[in-house]
């Protein structure tokens, strides 16, 4: 939302949070939960990215309103949402489906979940996977 391009870094785990819309109750609750656990996620070497096709100004206002410490990425045309199967076709375009992915440093998807899994469950998954060789 700030004009910066983002890439998943090779040495970090990433959580991609695909969410339907800025400034709605469900999305606000979900992203606020990630914000409240952000320091713990950072200690585990995890970057968090919120993703949907909304424009940068909408993301900026939403992130500022919630005080989000992680970026909300503008996915113009919803190409990334489609690549991660986080879309649903509707008569006048597409809708982003609430979906969370955990991606290891080798860019392998280690968890995929429709809906809003608890951040505590995601943290437990990261901890368990880090114990295995190379994060499986």
């Amino acid at each position: 939302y700030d004009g910066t391009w983002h890439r998943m870094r090779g040495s970090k785990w990433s959580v991609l949070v695909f969410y339907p819309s800025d400034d709605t109750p469900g999305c606000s609750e979900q992203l606020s939960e990630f914000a409240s656990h952000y320091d713990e996620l950072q200690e585990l070497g995890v970057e968090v990215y919120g993703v949907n096709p909304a424009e940068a100004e909408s993301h900026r206002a939403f992130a500022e309103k919630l005080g989000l410490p992680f970026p909300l990425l503008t996915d113009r045309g919803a190409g990334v949402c489609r690549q991660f199967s986080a879309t649903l076709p509707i008569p006048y375009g597409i809708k982003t489906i609430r979906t969370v992915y955990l991606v290891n440093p080798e860019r392998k998807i280690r968890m995929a979940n429709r809906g809003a899994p608890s951040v505590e469950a995601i943290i437990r998954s990261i901890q368990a996977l880090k114990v295995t060789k190379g994060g499986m």
Side-chain angles (χ1 to χ4, degrees):
Y1 63 82
D2 62 1
T4 304
W5 285 87
H6 291 273
R7 290 181 184 260
M8 290 186 286
R9 297 186 194 135
S11 63
K12 297 250 185 186
W13 287 73
S14 299
V15 174
L16 303 175
V17 183
F18 294 91
Y19 65 99
S21 185
D22 290 339
D23 206 17
T24 59
C27 296
S28 296
E29 181 179 334
Q30 182 182 27
L31 294 175
S32 291
E33 184 183 5
F34 276 98
S36 70
H37 290 86
Y38 188 70
D39 290 340
E40 187 176 357
L41 290 163
Q42 290 284 279
E43 288 173 19
L44 289 169
V46 178
E47 294 294 334
V48 177
Y49 303 96
V51 184
N52 88 8
E55 290 298 321
E57 188 53 42
S58 176
H59 283 341
R60 184 178 299 102
F62 184 43
E64 287 174 2
K65 178 180 178 180
L66 296 181
L68 299 178
F70 51 85
L72 301 181
L73 306 181
T74 298
D75 180 21
R76 286 194 180 94
V80 175
C81 292
R82 278 195 293 276
Q83 286 179 333
F84 279 87
S85 299
T87 59
L88 178 68
I90 56 175
Y92 298 103
I94 61 163
K95 177 178 175 73
T96 302
I97 302 170
R98 191 179 311 281
T99 309
V100 177
Y101 284 95
L102 172 61
V103 182
N104 74 6
E106 291 78 34
R107 293 184 166 181
K108 292 182 181 174
I109 295 171
R110 304 314 314 150
M111 184 199 81
N113 194 303
R114 288 274 192 246
S118 74
V119 177
E120 289 92 355
I122 294 168
I123 289 170
R124 286 191 304 271
S125 294
I126 294 164
Q127 291 167 332
L129 287 166
K130 282 185 152 199
V131 172
T132 63
K133 184 180 178 186
M136 296 225 30

